[in-house]
Amino acid sequence: MSSIAEGNAVQYGDSRKLAARARLHTEYTIAKTGWFPWVAAQLPLKPADRVLDVGCGPAWFWAATASLLPEDLHLTLTDLSSGMVDEAVARCRALPLGSVRGCRADAAALPFEDGAFDLVIAMHMLYHLPDPAAGIAEMRRVLKPGGVLAATTNGIGNMREIYRLTTVFGSAPTDPAAVAFGYDIAEQMMRTQFGNVAMSKYPASMRITEAEDVFLTLTSYPPGEGADEPQLTRFRQAIADAFRQGSGALDVSRETGLFLSRKPV
């Protein structure tokens, strides 16, 4: 197993560490529309469509949007973590979605026939892959002609006010997801595979009022997860200083977007 796969196995064996990060967004995001409903409104879904969710995680997206989606979808949930797949399938089978199945799968080697799906969705997961282009190529392969890939990711300025604090761990003051698969890379790779891409930016910001939530989020994954006590002490102090400068709150920029590409007919 590669070091990337090993790290992902630890991080995403179940949803506990992911939940620490999700809380920061659910509690403190300022937006007219929630993230999941905003994405759902832009998906070109029709009743009875065959949908593949690659890197499904615990299926929070489907739980939040089931009432907004067409009926009788045929949903396939995949993740590299079998624990995530089990949790996702259990959650989705209790929803009014139509048929639901799940399987453990590598995004770069999907166990499905060519042209098997109307829509493939990859939400904030392509930056985990050693080779995102290989994952996009596989997703294109399993789409039918005219089918759509929907991928979400972050821009390089995403949450920069928070990532500046992580420099006490020796990391760069930028979102690592955006470094690996940010807006420019996503646009280039999807256009290369499909010949077309449309991008929409999620209009949102954050105002965080609890310093402890920042600490818990940024110590739920490397490098904060493996930091020693002196580093953690310096990190707490950096957070305290930032909140003091913000008069008890931390205003944070959001750069998150949705990319849609259609497979040529």
Side-chain angles (χ1 to χ4, degrees), residues 59 62 73-77 85 88-102:
W62 302 103
L73 297 177
H74 302 288
L75 178 61
T76 300
L77 303 161
V85 173
V89 169
R91 179 167 285 116
C92 287
R93 282 183 175 161
L95 301 171
L97 286 172
S99 68
V100 177
R101 62 172 175 160

Side-chain angles (χ1 to χ4, degrees), residues 9-127:
V10 172
Q11 279 291 307
Y12 301 106
D14 57 41
S15 63
R16 287 175 295 177
K17 292 182 181 294
L18 194 61
R21 301 194 281 281
R23 172 177 164 76
L24 203 68
H25 295 281
T26 56
E27 291 294 321
Y28 302 112
T29 292
I30 301 170
K32 290 183 178 180
T33 305
W35 165 244
F36 288 150
W38 181 83
V39 171
Q42 299 180 73
L43 297 180
L45 281 171
K46 306 180 300 299
D49 270 355
R50 300 160 298 165
V51 182
L52 173 64
D53 186 346
V54 182
C56 64
W60 291 331
F61 170 76
W62 302 103
T65 62
S67 64
L68 307 174
L69 301 174
E71 296 180 354
D72 300 324
L73 297 177
H74 302 288
L75 178 61
T76 300
L77 303 161
T78 70
D79 201 285
L80 194 59
S81 162
S82 57
M84 285 289 196
V85 173
D86 291 344
E87 183 175 341
V89 169
R91 179 167 285 116
C92 287
R93 282 183 175 161
L95 301 171
L97 286 172
S99 68
V100 177
R101 62 172 175 160
C103 68
R104 182 183 180 279
D106 183 341
L110 295 169
F112 308 111
E113 296 180 356
D114 296 358
F117 298 97
D118 299 285
L119 176 77
V120 175
I121 183 169
M123 295 188 67
H124 279 71
M125 58 75 56
L126 280 159
Y127 48 74

Side-chain angles (χ1 to χ4, degrees), residues 69-224:
L69 301 174
E71 296 180 354
D72 300 324
L73 297 177
H74 302 288
L75 178 61
T76 300
L77 303 161
T78 70
D79 201 285
L80 194 59
S81 162
S82 57
M84 285 289 196
V85 173
D86 291 344
E87 183 175 341
V89 169
R91 179 167 285 116
C92 287
R93 282 183 175 161
L95 301 171
L97 286 172
S99 68
V100 177
R101 62 172 175 160
C103 68
R104 182 183 180 279
D106 183 341
L110 295 169
F112 308 111
E113 296 180 356
D114 296 358
F117 298 97
D118 299 285
L119 176 77
V120 175
I121 183 169
M123 295 188 67
H124 279 71
M125 58 75 56
L126 280 159
Y127 48 74
H128 291 299
L129 302 185
D131 184 359
I136 293 172
E138 267 293 88
M139 294 173 199
R140 183 187 188 281
R141 179 185 66 78
V142 302
L143 277 169
K144 74 174 188 180
V148 172
L149 169 62
T152 65
T153 194
N154 299 331
I156 198 67
N158 185 56
M159 297 172 63
R160 57 182 176 268
E161 296 83 1
I162 283 181
Y163 286 110
R164 286 174 187 153
L165 303 176
T166 66
T167 56
V168 301
F169 303 133
S171 57
T174 49
D175 184 343
V179 173
F181 188 75
Y183 286 174
D184 291 344
I185 298 173
E187 197 279 337
Q188 184 270 323
M189 288 186 178
M190 291 178 67
R191 187 175 298 279
T192 295
Q193 287 293 332
F194 290 86
N196 64 86
V197 63
M199 187 267 193
S200 300
K201 295 180 180 179
Y202 178 50
S205 62
M206 299 175 75
R207 184 171 178 82
I208 304 171
T209 54
E210 293 293 337
E212 186 66 11
D213 284 335
V214 175
F215 179 85
L216 292 174
T217 296
L218 293 173
T219 55
S220 70
Y221 60 93

